[in-house]
C-alpha cells in the first residue's frame, strides 16, 4: 500500500477479492474501517433500534452503505458522516438515481469536529478509537436525541454498562450513566466484519436522561477523577493523601477569599468534557496491600492543616463514606458525597 513499487498482478487480485466491497475499495484497519458483512446482523441492529418512519437518523462511518440502505428503508432520512472521500463517493454512487437519493445527506469530515445537525436517533458502527469522545459528544448534543444504538469494542461496551462492584466499573461507567441510561443489546463476533478486527464487539443502546441531573459537571468530574484514581482503596485512605488535601485546601482558601464566589459554581459545564476517559482503559489492579500502606505522611500544609484534614474526614464520616470504596458506590452515593463536600465549602474545580 504505502511506499515501494506494486506489481501489476496485485491490483487485479485486490480488485477481484474486493468485488464484494463494491467498486474494489480496500479498507484500512488503521482507520477503523471494518464493514459489517452479515446481512442478518444488519437487520437485527435496525430492528433493535426502534426506528420510526418519521425519524431523521444519524449514521457515523457508513462505509459502502450496507447499514445505510436498511436505515433509509426504515426512517424518514439519513445523515451520514464519513471521513474517507473514497467511501463518500461510493456511498453517493450507490444511491444515485434510486428512490433514496433525496433521503440521504452525506457529510464528509471528522465526526468529532463537524457540527452535527438535528437528528432523532443515531445508529452507527464506529471506528473504535473514537469511542469515548464520540459518546460524550453525542450526549452533549442539543437538542437531545431519543437514543443511540452503537457498535463498540466489547470491553468498552462492558465498561459503559458496568455496575458498582463489577471489575470493569470505572469513571467512564459513572459519567456515562449519570447522563444516560445504557443497555447491552447483543454481542457481535469479529467474523461478522470484513476485514475482521482483533476483538469482539457489542451493540449498546444509549438513552440520554431528560432532564439532566442538577449537578455542576466540572465539580462532578473533579470528584469522580479523584475517587477513581485508586478505586479499590477506601475513601478515607484516598482523602488522607497529601496531594489530595493540598488541592482541596487550596480550592477552599481561594473560594473563601473570593467571599461567595463559590455560589457561582452552579453553572453547567459542557458534558463533552467528561469524555477524557483514556485512563479508564487500564484497570487498576488491587495489589492486596493494606490501605494504610498507601497513605502518605501526615498533612502539614499551613498552621491549620490538621484542622482542614479533620474537616475532610469529618465530612466522610458524616455520610458514612470513610470505609467505603469508589468501586462499590452508586450514582446516588456520589451525588450525596458531592453535596456534603459542597455544603461544607469544599469544591473540586
Amino acid at each position: 500500500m504505502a511506499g515501494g513499487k506494486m506489481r501489476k498482478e496485485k491490483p487485479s487480485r485486490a480488485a477481484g477479492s474486493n468485488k464484494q466491497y463494491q467498486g474494489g475499495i480496500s479498507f484500512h484497519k488503521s482507520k477503523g474501517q471494518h464493514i459489517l458483512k452479515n446481512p442478518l446482523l444488519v437487520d437485527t441492529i435496525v430492528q433493535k433500534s426502534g426506528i420510526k418512519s418519521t425519524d431523521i437518523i444519524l449514521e457515523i462511518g457508513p462505509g459502502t452503505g450496507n447499514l445505510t440502505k436498511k436505515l433509509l428503508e426504515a426512517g424518514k432520512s439519513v445523515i451520514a458522516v464519513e471521513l474517507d472521500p473514497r467511501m463518500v463517493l461510493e456511498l453517493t454512487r450507490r444511491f444515485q438515481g434510486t428512490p433514496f437519493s433525496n433521503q440521504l445527506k452525506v457529510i464528509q469530515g471528522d465526526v468529532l469536529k463537524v457540527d452535527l445537525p438535528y437528528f432523532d436517533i443515531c445508529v452507527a458502527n464506529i471506528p473504535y478509537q473514537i469511542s469515548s469522545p464520540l459518546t460524550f459528544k453525542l450526549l452533549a448534543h442539543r437538542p437531545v436525541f431519543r437514543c443511540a444504538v452503537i457498535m463498540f469494542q466489547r470491553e468498552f461496551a462492558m465498561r459503559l454498562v458496568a455496575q458498582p462492584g463489577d471489575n470493569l466499573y470505572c469513571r467512564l461507567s459513572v459519567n456515562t450513566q449519570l447522563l444516560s441510561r445504557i443497555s447491552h443489546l447483543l454481542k457481535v463476533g469479529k467474523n461478522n466484519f470484513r476485514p475482521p478486527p482483533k476483538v469482539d464487539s457489542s451493540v449498546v443502546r444509549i438513552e440520554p436522561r431528560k432532564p439532566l441531573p442538577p449537578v455542576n459537571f466540572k465539580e462532578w468530574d473533579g470528584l469522580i477523577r479523584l475517587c477513581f484514581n485508586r478505586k479499590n482503596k477506601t475513601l478515607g485512605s484516598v482523602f488522607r493523601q497529601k496531594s489530595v488535601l493540598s488541592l482541596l485546601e487550596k480550592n477552599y482558601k481561594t473560594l473563601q477569599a473570593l467571599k461567595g464566589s463559590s455560589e457561582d459554581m452552579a453553572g453547567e459545564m459542557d458534558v463533552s468534557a467528561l469524555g477524557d476517559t483514556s485512563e479508564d482503559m487500564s484497570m487498576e489492579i488491587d495489589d492486596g496491600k493494606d490501605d494504610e500502606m498507601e497513605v502518605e505522611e501526615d498533612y502539614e500544609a499551613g498552621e491549620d492543616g490538621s484542622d482542614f484534614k479533620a474537616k475532610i474526614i469529618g465530612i466522610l464520616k458524616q455520610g458514612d463514606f470513610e470505609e467505603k470504596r469508589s468501586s462499590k458506590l452508586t450514582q446516588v452515593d456520589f451525588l450525596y458525597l458531592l453535596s456534603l463536600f459542597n455544603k461544607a465549602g469544599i469544591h473540586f474545580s
Side-chain angles (χ1 to χ4, degrees), residues 153-297:
Q153 178 179 334
R154 181 162 176 79
E155 184 179 346
F156 184 88
M158 292 299 97
R159 290 176 184 271
L160 288 178
V161 300
Q163 297 299 305
D166 294 347
N167 287 336
L168 291 176
Y169 188 62
C170 60
R171 189 165 68 92
L172 175 67
S173 316
V174 176
N175 282 342
T176 51
Q177 291 172 30
L178 175 75
L179 305 173
S180 61
R181 296 178 181 85
I182 307 176
S183 54
H184 182 270
L185 296 181
L186 68 152
K187 180 180 178 180
V188 181
K190 62 188 75 174
N191 291 329
N192 288 287
F193 299 90
R194 183 178 293 112
K198 295 181 179 179
V199 295
D200 288 330
S201 306
S202 280
V203 178
V204 302
R205 181 184 180 90
I206 302 174
E207 298 178 59
R209 295 188 186 276
K210 306 173 193 176
L212 288 175
V215 62
N216 178 289
F217 296 115
K218 192 171 184 180
E219 279 279 290
W220 169 270
D221 194 44
L223 171 65
I224 300 304
R225 281 176 182 270
L226 192 156
C227 290
F228 276 89
N229 186 43
R230 303 305 300 272
K231 71 174 185 178
N232 290 319
K233 303 304 176 185
T234 64
L235 291 180
S237 175
V238 171
F239 279 90
R240 283 186 174 91
Q241 295 179 84
K242 277 185 179 182
S243 57
V244 174
L245 288 168
S246 178
L247 174 64
L248 295 182
E249 186 178 23
K250 180 179 178 181
N251 287 348
Y252 178 75
K253 288 183 174 179
T254 299
L255 292 173
Q256 290 295 310
L258 293 175
K259 295 182 180 180
S261 291
S262 60
E263 298 298 323
D264 298 330
M265 299 186 68
E268 279 191 7
M269 177 189 71
D270 184 351
V271 298
S272 61
L274 299 179
D276 177 20
T277 53
S278 56
E279 69 271 22
D280 288 331
M281 297 312 289
S282 57
M283 288 172 52
E284 175 186 320
I285 299 175
D286 193 341
D287 54 16
K289 293 181 181 179
D290 187 88
D291 286 328
E292 297 306 315
M293 297 295 289
E294 301 295 328
V295 179
E296 299 184 30
E297 297 178 5

